[in-house]
Amino acid sequence: MHRLSTRSLSAALRHGGARYRNAAAAPISSSSPLPDTVREKDNKLRCYSVLTTGKLNITDSLTQLNLKNGLFFGSRYESTAAASDSSATPPAESYEYQAEVSRLLDLIVNSLYSNKEVFLRELISNASDALDKLRFLSVTEPELLKDAVDLDIRIQTDKDNGIVTIIDTGIGMTRQELVDCLGTIAQSGTAKFLKALKDSKDAVGDNNLIGQFGVGFYSAFLVSDKVVVSSKSPKSDKQYVWEGEANSSSYTIREETDPEKLIPRGTRLTLYLKRDDKGFAHPERVEKLVKNYSQFVSFPIYTWQEKGYTKEVEVDEDPADAKKDEQDEKTEKKKKTKTVVERYWDWELTNETQPIWLRSPKEVSTEDYNEFYKKTFNEYLDPIASSHFTTEGEVEFRSILYVPAVSPMGKDDIVNPKTKNIRLYVKRVFISDDFDGELFPRYLSFVKGVVDSNDLPLNVSREILQESRIVRIMRKRLVRKAFDMILGISLSENKEDYEKFWDNFGKYLKLGCIEDRENHKRIAPLLRFFSSQSDEEMISLDEYVENMKPEQKDIYYIASDSVTSAKSTPFLEKLLEKDLEVLFLVDPIDEVAIQNLKSYKEKNFVDISKEDLDLGDKNEEKEKEMKQEFGQTCDWIKKRLGDKVASVQISNRLSSSPCVLVSGRFGWSANMERLMKSQTVGDTASLEYMRGRRVFEINPEHPIIKNLNAAFKSSPDDEDALRAIDLLYDAALVSSGYTPENPAQLGGKIYEMMGVALSWKWSTPADVPPPEANPGKLGTLEAEVVEPVEAGGQK
């Protein structure tokens, strides 16, 4: 135990006496929210708490704090050294655990709990139960509160000896209740108490109590070699001590006779920690665990903390400085001081933050929501939006959800379903924030919030959510509320909020299009894309539908790696002429998301890079004429290209380009093929059967195609014409978004064609080799140059 020396104690009382005198929290009103109709008392009610344990007793050292007259009851400190009379202590009676409890206890300690630190959560929850029961029973039995002791929980640690003491001023336990409750696993006082309430005709009380499984107390053995429970019930004149060890099949119960350890009411639970778990006895560790798990327990929780205050003290003057001051009589002498920190120990309220989700949304301001968000999730920026709601009916729970201002660093949450953004509470006690998609789907993992439920089924350790109908109902309602909150951002007058949201979390919603078919109607209005008519500002699908032409039946899109490449693709030519808007899907996930949506407001999504594109302007007579004119040319081109293409067709989507390479209706687009190729890590064998058929479409209005048509009719075996077909195909590969199979060969073809087209086009006369000249007839050169000009004119 941390003892106060006489000097530090007097100093603490002199400088911080108010801290000690007011150490206990303000008394909690004994008035119960339960109706006054509760008049009966169940005589069979025994086990009031699995935890109801203890007053402050860290060591058996002679010099210690007298809690009965000191800190614990808000009085002054008194140092005592009274020695207990061991001869007057009655012998302890030994009891065997019932129903193979020793084996079951080993199972609980070694298998049931996966995280040791939950022991403090369990014990504090049980202490809260004991206080709840006392407050409830005091409505009909006011004499239970005859000892003017505040209703609170206190935790003191001794890190040197590895001891943790948890004290509550709740209902306490009698000798028989210690046997019944702590000697039989799964026989919880809370469970009996709830059963008594349900059996009582007049009881319509608050049964929001924890500990229904009766194993919370035994979590103490996760970290303890020995546990001592000292309990005093207001219904008994005597205080009894229960003592058990981790590896023992029995326990002892004796009467408490040491006057230093007597308490007026409640329970003191003392844990003697194992060697490897003595770190739990550090005050900072305990404070952190309380704030994490029990921050919102309705009773005040105090922890024993070291504190300090600064004060000025005089220092001895240096003789050399004193002699110098004597020589200078005019120098004004000042006493030299220094600032020191005086250390002392005192109780500190740990759970100051109140659960705002229990308040009415009308009473909570935006500042309160933002402050709660920052404290709970350690954020520094205000959230974009929040939603506070209560669901009633078949399943009841309260929740507050938030949309963060920025996405997580590293963006790992989009592929990791186990996020820690949703904190689950059961009756205001933190249970877990580590879920595998039970409460929120993966694509909504960026949403942060708290959920407090009284109906959730938990296993005996209260750590793992069981898959149940209640959980499914909660998930459905939470998802719906999350979408309502995001929709509110999109409908806000401040468009910058949704732009910020989309930049950070747009990919999450697109992932929802793939994973959650049930919520397509909620996700689709939230999507945003660039388009051919809005390449700088994203538009929604609703805006696209509003701008559609009266005769337009489908929503057109093109997938590409950037807006720039999408704007320059040849697939757009005819649509731009008709003033039809096309969505630009520039994120890798966009195309898959749209394909999973399939339609929006009865408008199908159509990829303009696929074959059989219908723009609603078919002219059957003209098509028939074109087929007659260019049908054999298409067969000639197909013969030259061989298996590279599935067919050669006349295009209805081109206006300025000679040709384009389109995907089959059920095959991959060029963009998808590029993405899949990057995923195979060089294994192109899998692409051969997964790659869709390609269709080579030609523009019969283009001069190049007309020349090829003439070449086919005059000389179909001409090498230049055949090479032109090969070059057209390679150029169509690039312009349509595909990757050339042999880039070097394509480069060679381009260089060859350039050489033919540019031969001596810009050459100067100096670059042309001169004819042979006679050196002896230099004087006649001028006449010979002029004469042909004159002779050429005589015709």
Side-chain angles (χ1 to χ4, degrees), residues 230-247:
S230 183
S231 188
K232 170 67 168 62
S233 171
K235 300 179 181 180
S236 174
D237 296 333
K238 296 182 179 180
Q239 179 176 330
Y240 294 95
V241 179
W242 181 99
E243 185 173 332
E245 296 185 1
N247 298 321

PDB file of all heavy atoms in Angstrom, residues 230-247:
ATOM      1  N   SER A 230     -14.038  -9.659   1.207  1.00  0.00           N
ATOM      2  CA  SER A 230     -14.549  -9.276   2.529  1.00  0.00           C
ATOM      3  C   SER A 230     -15.833  -8.494   2.317  1.00  0.00           C
ATOM      4  O   SER A 230     -15.832  -7.458   1.661  1.00  0.00           O
ATOM      5  CB  SER A 230     -13.519  -8.423   3.275  1.00  0.00           C
ATOM      6  OG  SER A 230     -13.978  -8.108   4.568  1.00  0.00           O
ATOM      7  N   SER A 231     -16.945  -9.017   2.857  1.00  0.00           N
ATOM      8  CA  SER A 231     -18.246  -8.443   2.542  1.00  0.00           C
ATOM      9  C   SER A 231     -19.080  -8.238   3.794  1.00  0.00           C
ATOM     10  O   SER A 231     -19.060  -9.071   4.711  1.00  0.00           O
ATOM     11  CB  SER A 231     -18.991  -9.353   1.556  1.00  0.00           C
ATOM     12  OG  SER A 231     -20.165  -8.738   1.094  1.00  0.00           O
ATOM     13  N   LYS A 232     -19.824  -7.148   3.825  1.00  0.00           N
ATOM     14  CA  LYS A 232     -20.706  -6.807   4.947  1.00  0.00           C
ATOM     15  C   LYS A 232     -22.072  -6.438   4.382  1.00  0.00           C
ATOM     16  O   LYS A 232     -22.221  -5.475   3.637  1.00  0.00           O
ATOM     17  CB  LYS A 232     -20.128  -5.613   5.723  1.00  0.00           C
ATOM     18  CG  LYS A 232     -21.069  -5.014   6.768  1.00  0.00           C
ATOM     19  CD  LYS A 232     -21.326  -5.982   7.904  1.00  0.00           C
ATOM     20  CE  LYS A 232     -22.029  -5.278   9.075  1.00  0.00           C
ATOM     21  NZ  LYS A 232     -23.346  -4.751   8.705  1.00  0.00           N
ATOM     22  N   SER A 233     -23.067  -7.240   4.730  1.00  0.00           N
ATOM     23  CA  SER A 233     -24.423  -6.969   4.297  1.00  0.00           C
ATOM     24  C   SER A 233     -25.138  -6.139   5.356  1.00  0.00           C
ATOM     25  O   SER A 233     -24.961  -6.386   6.568  1.00  0.00           O
ATOM     26  CB  SER A 233     -25.177  -8.290   4.068  1.00  0.00           C
ATOM     27  OG  SER A 233     -26.550  -8.035   3.836  1.00  0.00           O
ATOM     28  N   PRO A 234     -25.937  -5.154   4.969  1.00  0.00           N
ATOM     29  CA  PRO A 234     -26.684  -4.369   5.963  1.00  0.00           C
ATOM     30  C   PRO A 234     -27.718  -5.209   6.694  1.00  0.00           C
ATOM     31  O   PRO A 234     -28.268  -4.778   7.704  1.00  0.00           O
ATOM     32  CB  PRO A 234     -27.336  -3.264   5.129  1.00  0.00           C
ATOM     33  CG  PRO A 234     -27.363  -3.780   3.739  1.00  0.00           C
ATOM     34  CD  PRO A 234     -26.182  -4.673   3.609  1.00  0.00           C
ATOM     35  N   LYS A 235     -27.969  -6.426   6.208  1.00  0.00           N
ATOM     36  CA  LYS A 235     -28.908  -7.314   6.883  1.00  0.00           C
ATOM     37  C   LYS A 235     -28.231  -8.188   7.923  1.00  0.00           C
ATOM     38  O   LYS A 235     -28.894  -8.985   8.589  1.00  0.00           O
ATOM     39  CB  LYS A 235     -29.587  -8.209   5.842  1.00  0.00           C
ATOM     40  CG  LYS A 235     -30.368  -7.445   4.788  1.00  0.00           C
ATOM     41  CD  LYS A 235     -30.982  -8.396   3.789  1.00  0.00           C
ATOM     42  CE  LYS A 235     -31.739  -7.624   2.717  1.00  0.00           C
ATOM     43  NZ  LYS A 235     -32.358  -8.530   1.722  1.00  0.00           N
ATOM     44  N   SER A 236     -26.917  -8.066   8.045  1.00  0.00           N
ATOM     45  CA  SER A 236     -26.166  -8.878   8.994  1.00  0.00           C
ATOM     46  C   SER A 236     -25.316  -7.979   9.879  1.00  0.00           C
ATOM     47  O   SER A 236     -24.831  -6.926   9.428  1.00  0.00           O
ATOM     48  CB  SER A 236     -25.286  -9.880   8.242  1.00  0.00           C
ATOM     49  OG  SER A 236     -24.446 -10.587   9.122  1.00  0.00           O
ATOM     50  N   ASP A 237     -25.112  -8.389  11.092  1.00  0.00           N
ATOM     51  CA  ASP A 237     -24.278  -7.626  12.028  1.00  0.00           C
ATOM     52  C   ASP A 237     -22.808  -7.985  11.891  1.00  0.00           C
ATOM     53  O   ASP A 237     -21.956  -7.305  12.477  1.00  0.00           O
ATOM     54  CB  ASP A 237     -24.734  -7.885  13.472  1.00  0.00           C
ATOM     55  CG  ASP A 237     -26.147  -7.374  13.720  1.00  0.00           C
ATOM     56  OD1 ASP A 237     -26.549  -6.416  13.025  1.00  0.00           O
ATOM     57  OD2 ASP A 237     -26.839  -7.939  14.591  1.00  0.00           O
ATOM     58  N   LYS A 238     -22.507  -9.033  11.190  1.00  0.00           N
ATOM     59  CA  LYS A 238     -21.126  -9.486  11.094  1.00  0.00           C
ATOM     60  C   LYS A 238     -20.609  -9.356   9.663  1.00  0.00           C
ATOM     61  O   LYS A 238     -21.368  -9.368   8.702  1.00  0.00           O
ATOM     62  CB  LYS A 238     -21.018 -10.942  11.548  1.00  0.00           C
ATOM     63  CG  LYS A 238     -21.373 -11.142  13.022  1.00  0.00           C
ATOM     64  CD  LYS A 238     -21.204 -12.599  13.428  1.00  0.00           C
ATOM     65  CE  LYS A 238     -21.546 -12.794  14.900  1.00  0.00           C
ATOM     66  NZ  LYS A 238     -21.381 -14.214  15.314  1.00  0.00           N
ATOM     67  N   GLN A 239     -19.291  -9.226   9.578  1.00  0.00           N
ATOM     68  CA  GLN A 239     -18.611  -9.151   8.284  1.00  0.00           C
ATOM     69  C   GLN A 239     -17.841 -10.442   8.068  1.00  0.00           C
ATOM     70  O   GLN A 239     -17.157 -10.925   8.978  1.00  0.00           O
ATOM     71  CB  GLN A 239     -17.668  -7.945   8.255  1.00  0.00           C
ATOM     72  CG  GLN A 239     -16.893  -7.781   6.956  1.00  0.00           C
ATOM     73  CD  GLN A 239     -16.047  -6.504   6.971  1.00  0.00           C
ATOM     74  OE1 GLN A 239     -16.420  -5.526   7.625  1.00  0.00           O
ATOM     75  NE2 GLN A 239     -14.930  -6.533   6.278  1.00  0.00           N
ATOM     76  N   TYR A 240     -17.937 -11.000   6.860  1.00  0.00           N
ATOM     77  CA  TYR A 240     -17.316 -12.290   6.589  1.00  0.00           C
ATOM     78  C   TYR A 240     -16.301 -12.156   5.459  1.00  0.00           C
ATOM     79  O   TYR A 240     -16.423 -11.299   4.582  1.00  0.00           O
ATOM     80  CB  TYR A 240     -18.363 -13.336   6.231  1.00  0.00           C
ATOM     81  CG  TYR A 240     -19.284 -13.662   7.394  1.00  0.00           C
ATOM     82  CD1 TYR A 240     -20.503 -13.013   7.524  1.00  0.00           C
ATOM     83  CD2 TYR A 240     -18.916 -14.599   8.356  1.00  0.00           C
ATOM     84  CE1 TYR A 240     -21.346 -13.289   8.599  1.00  0.00           C
ATOM     85  CE2 TYR A 240     -19.748 -14.880   9.424  1.00  0.00           C
ATOM     86  CZ  TYR A 240     -20.959 -14.231   9.543  1.00  0.00           C
ATOM     87  OH  TYR A 240     -21.777 -14.503  10.607  1.00  0.00           O
ATOM     88  N   VAL A 241     -15.315 -13.046   5.532  1.00  0.00           N
ATOM     89  CA  VAL A 241     -14.222 -13.035   4.556  1.00  0.00           C
ATOM     90  C   VAL A 241     -14.201 -14.365   3.814  1.00  0.00           C
ATOM     91  O   VAL A 241     -14.140 -15.430   4.440  1.00  0.00           O
ATOM     92  CB  VAL A 241     -12.866 -12.782   5.230  1.00  0.00           C
ATOM     93  CG1 VAL A 241     -11.745 -12.794   4.190  1.00  0.00           C
ATOM     94  CG2 VAL A 241     -12.878 -11.467   5.982  1.00  0.00           C
ATOM     95  N   TRP A 242     -14.288 -14.288   2.495  1.00  0.00           N
ATOM     96  CA  TRP A 242     -14.163 -15.468   1.613  1.00  0.00           C
ATOM     97  C   TRP A 242     -12.773 -15.434   1.010  1.00  0.00           C
ATOM     98  O   TRP A 242     -12.315 -14.403   0.518  1.00  0.00           O
ATOM     99  CB  TRP A 242     -15.222 -15.385   0.526  1.00  0.00           C
ATOM    100  CG  TRP A 242     -15.255 -16.523  -0.452  1.00  0.00           C
ATOM    101  CD1 TRP A 242     -16.100 -17.588  -0.433  1.00  0.00           C
ATOM    102  CD2 TRP A 242     -14.425 -16.700  -1.611  1.00  0.00           C
ATOM    103  NE1 TRP A 242     -15.876 -18.416  -1.495  1.00  0.00           N
ATOM    104  CE2 TRP A 242     -14.838 -17.904  -2.243  1.00  0.00           C
ATOM    105  CE3 TRP A 242     -13.383 -15.975  -2.176  1.00  0.00           C
ATOM    106  CZ2 TRP A 242     -14.235 -18.382  -3.400  1.00  0.00           C
ATOM    107  CZ3 TRP A 242     -12.788 -16.455  -3.325  1.00  0.00           C
ATOM    108  CH2 TRP A 242     -13.204 -17.642  -3.933  1.00  0.00           C
ATOM    109  N   GLU A 243     -12.089 -16.571   1.020  1.00  0.00           N
ATOM    110  CA  GLU A 243     -10.724 -16.621   0.494  1.00  0.00           C
ATOM    111  C   GLU A 243     -10.550 -17.866  -0.343  1.00  0.00           C
ATOM    112  O   GLU A 243     -10.907 -18.978   0.089  1.00  0.00           O
ATOM    113  CB  GLU A 243      -9.714 -16.590   1.641  1.00  0.00           C
ATOM    114  CG  GLU A 243      -8.262 -16.508   1.183  1.00  0.00           C
ATOM    115  CD  GLU A 243      -7.289 -16.311   2.340  1.00  0.00           C
ATOM    116  OE1 GLU A 243      -7.707 -15.720   3.353  1.00  0.00           O
ATOM    117  OE2 GLU A 243      -6.135 -16.756   2.214  1.00  0.00           O
ATOM    118  N   GLY A 244     -10.041 -17.697  -1.551  1.00  0.00           N
ATOM    119  CA  GLY A 244      -9.815 -18.828  -2.435  1.00  0.00           C
ATOM    120  C   GLY A 244      -8.567 -18.636  -3.260  1.00  0.00           C
ATOM    121  O   GLY A 244      -8.133 -17.499  -3.507  1.00  0.00           O
ATOM    122  N   GLU A 245      -7.974 -19.741  -3.686  1.00  0.00           N
ATOM    123  CA  GLU A 245      -6.772 -19.710  -4.501  1.00  0.00           C
ATOM    124  C   GLU A 245      -7.067 -20.318  -5.870  1.00  0.00           C
ATOM    125  O   GLU A 245      -8.004 -21.114  -6.026  1.00  0.00           O
ATOM    126  CB  GLU A 245      -5.630 -20.459  -3.818  1.00  0.00           C
ATOM    127  CG  GLU A 245      -5.197 -19.800  -2.508  1.00  0.00           C
ATOM    128  CD  GLU A 245      -3.992 -20.492  -1.899  1.00  0.00           C
ATOM    129  OE1 GLU A 245      -3.496 -21.460  -2.518  1.00  0.00           O
ATOM    130  OE2 GLU A 245      -3.567 -20.070  -0.820  1.00  0.00           O
ATOM    131  N   ALA A 246      -6.237 -19.963  -6.829  1.00  0.00           N
ATOM    132  CA  ALA A 246      -6.511 -20.319  -8.220  1.00  0.00           C
ATOM    133  C   ALA A 246      -6.488 -21.823  -8.444  1.00  0.00           C
ATOM    134  O   ALA A 246      -7.322 -22.363  -9.170  1.00  0.00           O
ATOM    135  CB  ALA A 246      -5.502 -19.629  -9.140  1.00  0.00           C
ATOM    136  N   ASN A 247      -5.558 -22.526  -7.837  1.00  0.00           N
ATOM    137  CA  ASN A 247      -5.386 -23.949  -8.125  1.00  0.00           C
ATOM    138  C   ASN A 247      -5.915 -24.843  -7.011  1.00  0.00           C
ATOM    139  O   ASN A 247      -5.502 -25.992  -6.875  1.00  0.00           O
ATOM    140  CB  ASN A 247      -3.910 -24.259  -8.366  1.00  0.00           C
ATOM    141  CG  ASN A 247      -3.353 -23.512  -9.559  1.00  0.00           C
ATOM    142  OD1 ASN A 247      -4.035 -23.363 -10.574  1.00  0.00           O
ATOM    143  ND2 ASN A 247      -2.124 -23.036  -9.448  1.00  0.00           N
TER     144      ASN A 247
END
